[in-house]
Amino acid sequence: MRPSNRATDEMRSIVVETNITKHAQGSCLIKCGDTHVLCTASVEERVPPFMRNSGLGWVTGEYGMLPGATNTRNRREATAGKQSGRTQEIQRLIGRSLRAGVDRVALGERQITVDCDVIQADGGTRCASITGGWIALRLAVNGLMEQGLIKDDPLMGHVAAVSCGIYGGQPVLDLDYAEDSEAGTDANFVMTDSNGLIEIQGSAEGATFSRDEFNALMDLAEKGTAALVAAQKAATS
């Protein structure tokens, strides 16, 4: 039995509130169970220096965990003068994942920065950040199109992410912290609404896992992604 009493293929509840902030062009608060992430998308009519005069737009991500997000206070990374390796790795993942679903020619030479701030953490914060980040990005792009600044929709499809793992010898979907901290295998799947794979992060925490077990995780990820995409559609329709 899972600590949450969920079935092996059962997602945590997914709740999305949009237009959370006043100034960002797109924003949402996504709640995946007890993991809550505020995602905002901010548009700049310029691109980084290495992209100038390329005719291509740029989408990047930033990630942070607020001090009170976990049961022990996290020190703000700004006070340490640098970001942790974990933070840098996650925000690069967010940027890569969202860019994979963007036609950068259609976006034009502008940059959209998606900021993901974890308010409360209970496992799967990077996955919730990608899923909610796409919603914020969708809302920002909608605004650009309504203003006539973009002619063709640059978003080629939905992008969502979900965690799966081997817990208690069973493949399970959408790990919370209690499971993630004890899982024999932990994996994150970033996918499109057509089940296209963008990125897979997977590792054995104890014993190795088999090809059959990986296939089972892949099947769970497809089911989880479908639920997340449905939530994205409901939030942005």
Side-chain angles (χ1 to χ4, degrees):
M1 181 66 68
R2 304 178 70 175
S4 61
N5 294 319
R6 287 180 286 145
T8 57
D9 63 347
E10 185 178 351
M11 294 280 289
R12 291 175 288 179
S13 63
I14 307 165
V15 178
V16 179
E17 301 173 46
T18 57
N19 302 316
I20 295 297
T21 66
K22 176 180 179 180
H23 299 294
Q25 284 84 349
S27 66
C28 78
L29 175 63
I30 184 167
K31 300 179 181 179
C32 298
D34 285 335
T35 289
H36 302 171
V37 185
L38 173 64
C39 303
T40 60
S42 303
V43 180
E44 296 177 271
E45 291 298 321
R46 59 180 181 178
V47 291
F50 70 92
M51 295 291 303
R52 287 175 187 163
N53 302 316
S54 66
L56 301 174
W58 189 248
V59 175
T60 188
E62 293 193 11
Y63 170 95
M65 189 173 290
L66 298 186
T70 59
N71 58 1
T72 58
R73 183 184 184 276
N74 299 296
R75 185 183 181 192
R76 293 184 189 275
E77 293 184 341
T79 64
K82 64 178 182 179
Q83 292 179 316
S84 68
R86 177 182 180 274
T87 294
Q88 294 181 56
E89 184 264 324
I90 290 176
Q91 61 188 24
R92 287 169 183 158
L93 170 66
I94 294 168
R96 288 195 306 271
S97 299
L98 296 178
R99 281 194 300 274
V102 175
D103 180 342
R104 292 164 57 202
V105 173
L107 181 60
E109 282 200 35
R110 56 178 51 86
Q111 174 171 283
I112 302 180
T113 300
V114 178
D115 289 288
C116 303
D117 292 293
V118 180
I119 298 173
Q120 181 172 284
D122 188 39
T125 61
R126 71 186 66 197
C127 293
S129 295
I130 292 168
T131 303
W134 186 92
I135 294 172
L137 178 62
R138 172 76 274 173
L139 295 173
V141 167
N142 287 350
L144 291 171
M145 295 180 68
E146 289 169 4
Q147 296 173 58
L149 298 174
I150 294 178
K151 180 179 180 181
D152 299 317
D153 188 355
L155 299 192
M156 300 181 290
H158 290 252
V159 174
V162 68
S163 65
C164 301
I166 307 294
Y167 177 81
Q170 292 290 324
V172 296
L173 175 63
D174 192 21
L175 281 68
D176 55 27
Y177 178 76
E179 294 170 328
D180 187 37
S181 61
E182 297 184 7
T185 297
D186 181 23
N188 300 302
F189 294 82
V190 186
M191 304 176 67
T192 69
D193 51 331
S194 59
N195 289 332
L197 287 167
I198 294 174
E199 188 157 339
I200 300 173
Q201 299 178 326
S203 61
E205 304 293 339
T208 59
F209 57 101
S210 67
R211 176 65 177 270
D212 287 342
E213 287 174 322
F214 175 78
N215 290 341
L217 295 179
M218 187 74 245
D219 291 340
L220 289 173
E222 290 185 357
K223 181 174 183 177
T225 299
L228 293 168
V229 167
Q232 288 176 330
K233 289 180 177 179
T236 57
S237 61

